[in-house]
């Protein structure tokens, strides 16, 4: 029995010492993860609700503007003659059919008497003239229609003497608002009118007191609401209900996995501890009585008492001392781990907030606000001068100069000093990063604007020069003058091509190139490319080899793909004096591969690395006679990347031809 109890204690000690910190840390991590997930969901949902609010307000504003526009139609002059030929009636039906208004259109005279309506039973009824002048009436029960409606009205003025002659009114049914609601398994959005306690969409629980916006939880649901303040619809609220169980299902799955790992760990620890305990019990038979006493009385203050001076006595003293130290150490480790985990989680949260800042001021505001909560004091801030009796950390960047000051009311420990100085260094680095980002953005914009303006200013006179050169070729009879005009035209076109490349590059750099994908046949594309490059190939007496089986249809940007192939084929023709130019096309799953192979001057291994750099021409004696901007391949590379692919260049060396291969990813 004694041996069994010792073995059991060893087993339990292993289990407790190993699993409690593990389980505690896992529970804390999952709790923090759940809190962060809820915060992220709330922020995302609040953003979506805000977008929906703006959409509703904008739609109602547009509807009121349209109503004002309709009220100015000359047909409504017939109000003064009580719509004798029913033109107003037809006009109202046309509006409803065209605008698809879910409600009733009404035209009334100055006394509120309905003279025309898309609902015939309203004709001859008299409406409240005073409320019509107000222009809008929120959701109410209309006795004439026997249902809840919203009412918008606008005065009608005669076109001949600009005098008010009546009103144009829309009775909107609440179902009109259903277009802004939806219901899914995980999320439901509804509209609620506080004044008459009326829901459009799924009915949700409503708290007794509603502020402008807020949230509350009921059972497994998180409900976020926002008032349509700033509009005539101030009695309306948007309610968004989120099913937390569905959103947390991945987190719950992870909890189950960690639970399975913990159970498996218990089993392994149990086996190992049984093996170890068996080996330990035999050498310490003399300690069993004391161990038995401790197990029965639970008096853990008792220690092993052995008076001998031999190894057993030394073992007993060491055992007693070890128990005391282990007990203290474990307690200290658990407390330190707990505190470290809390501080680490909080520090990660602060760093995440700092890295999400968009401006230097926002960085300072986040740091001071978060450190106040972290250090439990309000006496933390930023000053341009050092604060007396406070710990000051210097912030010194190009745009921000000053000190983060910390007044804790006590002496700061070396660890705290090191931590606060680290925070200061991090703030300095991140502010410098923001400053550099702002500079880079400004430089990029200035560069793009300069290139665009320069290209535009050069193209206008250049087009005139080319046109004049063409005119001279048609009118001149002297062959020398014709040849000179032809040289001017060729040089002008070459310069115009360079300017167009620079302008295309500027558009890419500015992010102004939009990808417009559509389905088309490669056969059509190859045929257009052949028409363009064939004269260039004939001029140099080269062989052009194009794929024969091109019935493949793909879905991508026709214009960009055509430009990439033209750039590569033109480049190959430009650097090939004899031989052939070949285009290959193949498809593997969703990737379409294109290869342009030539027997031209080739590329050295050193120059292969520079091929796709901006404004770069290769240092090759064979290329000195070929001129260009060095942008053709750079533009092609960026176009390929816009289409989801990559481009590569291969060559065995100078004089051995080259191969340019790229692929694009086809979207369904």
């Amino acid at each position: 029995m004694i041996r069994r109890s010792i073995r059991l204690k060893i087993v339990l000690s292993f289990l407790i010492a190993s699993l409690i910190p593990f389980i505690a840390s896992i529970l804390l991590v999952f709790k923090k993860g759940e809190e962060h997930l809820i915060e992220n969901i709330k922020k995302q949902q609040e953003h979506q609700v805000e977008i929906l609010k703006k959409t509703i307000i904008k739609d109602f504003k547009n509807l009121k503007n349209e109503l004002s526009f309709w009220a100015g139609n000359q047909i409504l002059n017939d109000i003064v003659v009580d719509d004798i030929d029913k033109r107003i009636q037809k006009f109202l039906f046309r509006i409803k059919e065209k605008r698809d208004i879910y409600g009733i259109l009404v035209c009334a005279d100055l006394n509120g008497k309905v003279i025309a309506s898309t609902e015939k039973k309203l004709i001859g009824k008299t409406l409240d003239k005073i409320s019509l002048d107000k222009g809008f009436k929120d959701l109410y029960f209309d006795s004439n229609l026997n249902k809840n409606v919203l009412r918008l009205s606008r005065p009608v003025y005669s076109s001949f003497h600009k005098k008010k002659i009546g009103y144009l009114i829309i009775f909107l049914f609440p179902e009109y608002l259903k277009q802004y609601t939806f219901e899914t398994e995980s999320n439901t959005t509804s509209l609620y009118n506080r004044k008459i306690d009326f829901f459009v969409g799924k009915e949700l629980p409503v708290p007794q007191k509603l502020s402008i916006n807020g949230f509350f939880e009921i059972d497994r649901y998180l409900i976020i609401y926002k008032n349509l303040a700033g509009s005539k619809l101030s009695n309306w609220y948007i309610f968004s209900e989120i099913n937390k169980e569905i959103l947390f299902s991945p987190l719950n799955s992870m909890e189950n996995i960690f639970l399975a790992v913990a159970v498996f760990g218990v089993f392994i620890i149990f086996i190992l501890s049984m093996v170890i305990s068996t080996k330990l019990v035999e050498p310490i038979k003399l300690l069993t009585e004391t161990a038995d006493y401790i197990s029965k009385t639970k008096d853990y203050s008792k220690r092993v008492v052995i008076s001998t001076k031999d190894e057993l006595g030394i073992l007993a003293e060491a055992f007693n001392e070890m128990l005391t130290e282990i007990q203290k150490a474990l307690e200290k480790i658990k407390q330190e781990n707990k505190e470290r985990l809390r501080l680490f989680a909080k520090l990660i949260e602060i760093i995440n907030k700092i890295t999400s800042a968009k401006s230097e001021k926002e960085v300072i505001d986040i740091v001071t606000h978060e450190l106040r909560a972290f250090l439990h004091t309000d006496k933390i801030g930023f000053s341009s001068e050092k604060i007396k009796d406070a710990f000051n950390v210097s912030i010194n960047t190009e745009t921000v100069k000053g000190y983060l000051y910390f007044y804790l009311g006590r002496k700061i420990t070396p660890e705290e000093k090191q931590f606060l100085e680290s925070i200061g260094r991090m703030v300095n680095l991140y502010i410098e990063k923001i400053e550099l980002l702002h500079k880079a953005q400004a430089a990029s914009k200035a560069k793009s604007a300069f290139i665009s303006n320069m290209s535009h200013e050069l193209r206008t006179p250049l087009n005139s020069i080319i046109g004049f050169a063409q005119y001279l070729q048609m009118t001149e009879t002297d062959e020398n003058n014709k040849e000179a005009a032809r040289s001017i035209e060729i040089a002008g076109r070459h310069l115009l091509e360079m300017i167009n490349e620079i302008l295309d590059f500027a558009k890419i750099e500015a992010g102004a190139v939009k990808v417009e994908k559509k389905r088309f046949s490669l056969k059509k594309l190859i045929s257009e490319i052949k028409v363009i490059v064939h004269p260039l190939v004939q001029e140099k007496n080269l062989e052009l080899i194009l794929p024969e089986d091109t019935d493949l249809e793909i879905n991508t940007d026709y214009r960009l793909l055509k430009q990439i192939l033209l750039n590569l084929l033109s480049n190959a023709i430009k650097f090939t004096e004899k031989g052939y130019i070949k285009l290959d096309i193949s498809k593997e799953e969703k990737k379409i591969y294109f290869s342009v192979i030539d027997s031209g001057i080739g590329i050295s291994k050193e120059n292969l690395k520079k091929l796709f750099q901006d404004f770069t021409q290769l240092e090759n004696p064979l290329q000195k006679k070929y001129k260009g901007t060095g942008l053709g391949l750079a533009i092609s590379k960026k176009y390929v990347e816009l289409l989801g692919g990559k481009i590569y260049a291969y060559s065995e060396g100078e004089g051995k031809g080259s191969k340019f291969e790229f692929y694009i990813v086809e979207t369904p």
Side-chain angles (χ1 to χ4, degrees), residues 302-441:
K302 189 172 180 65
R303 295 290 182 262
V304 177
V305 178
I306 296 179
S307 57
T308 58
K309 302 296 184 182
D310 56 11
E311 290 81 2
L312 288 177
I314 296 172
L315 177 62
E317 291 179 4
F319 181 75
N320 290 336
E321 184 178 351
M322 181 185 66
L323 284 176
T324 302
E325 292 300 321
I326 287 177
Q327 188 176 4
K328 292 179 180 178
L330 283 177
E331 187 63 30
K332 184 178 180 181
I333 288 171
K334 284 195 284 186
Q335 293 298 326
E336 287 178 351
N337 283 345
K338 208 170 181 181
E339 181 62 17
R340 285 194 188 105
L341 190 60
R342 184 189 71 81
L343 294 176
F344 182 73
K346 185 64 180 175
L347 187 58
I348 291 296
E349 184 181 344
I350 293 174
I351 292 172
N352 285 338
K353 288 184 178 180
I354 291 173
T355 55
S356 66
K358 303 297 182 186
S359 66
E360 297 87 339
K361 182 180 183 303
E362 192 176 351
V363 172
I364 297 297
D365 291 343
I366 289 173
V367 170
T368 54
H369 179 268
E370 293 299 327
L371 288 181
R372 285 169 190 159
F374 188 70
L375 299 175
H376 306 293
T377 178
D378 289 333
K379 297 182 178 179
I380 296 175
F382 180 80
S383 173
S384 58
E385 303 291 339
K386 282 189 175 182
I387 303 299
K388 187 179 180 182
D389 298 329
F391 182 74
N392 294 272
V393 177
S394 174
I395 304 297
N396 187 10
T397 69
E398 187 174 336
T399 59
V400 179
K401 299 185 184 298
Y403 298 88
L404 283 173
Y405 63 86
F406 305 87
Y407 186 80
L408 304 181
R410 56 178 172 79
K411 187 176 180 181
I412 294 180
T413 65
E415 291 79 10
E416 289 174 334
K417 179 180 178 183
Q418 185 178 6
F419 169 73
L420 296 177
E421 288 176 344
S422 298
I423 291 290
R425 287 193 294 273
M426 182 182 68
V427 171
N428 267 296
L429 288 172
Y430 197 74
I431 290 177
E432 288 173 356
K433 174 189 169 185
I434 292 175
E435 292 171 349
L436 289 173
L437 180 61
H438 290 167
K439 288 181 180 179
Q441 290 172 342

Side-chain angles (χ1 to χ4, degrees), residues 129-173:
K129 178 181 179 300
I130 296 176
S131 62
L132 290 178
D133 286 327
K134 292 181 179 178
F136 177 81
K137 187 171 183 179
D138 204 352
L139 192 67
Y140 72 101
F141 182 82
D142 191 285
S143 57
N144 291 322
L145 297 173
N146 199 29
K147 68 183 300 179
N148 289 318
V149 294
L150 296 94
R151 190 175 69 202
L152 290 83
S153 62
R154 284 292 180 273
V156 177
Y157 294 90
S158 66
S159 60
F160 44 87
H161 53 57
K162 304 302 180 182
K163 182 178 179 182
K164 186 163 71 172
I165 59 174
Y167 302 91
L168 184 61
I169 306 124
I170 297 178
F171 291 94
L172 280 180
F173 299 151

Side-chain angles (χ1 to χ4, degrees), residues 515-520 552-558 561 587-594 640-645 663-668:
V515 177
E516 298 177 356
K517 297 188 177 182
K518 64 177 180 180
R519 182 161 291 279
F520 60 87
L552 181 66
E553 285 196 353
I554 62 174
N555 186 29
T556 188
D557 190 300
Y558 186 91
L561 179 57
K587 183 177 181 182
E588 294 181 12
E589 296 181 351
K590 293 184 178 181
K591 293 182 178 179
I592 299 97
Y593 289 84
F594 300 84
V640 168
E641 290 170 351
L642 283 172
L643 298 180
Y663 72 85
I664 61 173
V665 178
E666 183 184 20
T667 55

Side-chain angles (χ1 to χ4, degrees), residues 545-547 565 582-586 593-597 659:
I545 305 171
L546 298 174
L565 291 173
K582 182 180 181 182
L583 172 63
D584 282 336
I585 303 175
S586 61
Y593 289 84
F594 300 84
S595 300
V596 176
I597 307 164
K659 175 183 177 182

Side-chain angles (χ1 to χ4, degrees), residues 531-542:
V531 170
I532 296 172
V533 302
H534 194 262
L536 301 176
V537 172
Q538 278 188 326
E539 184 180 341
K540 301 185 76 171
N541 199 24
L542 300 173

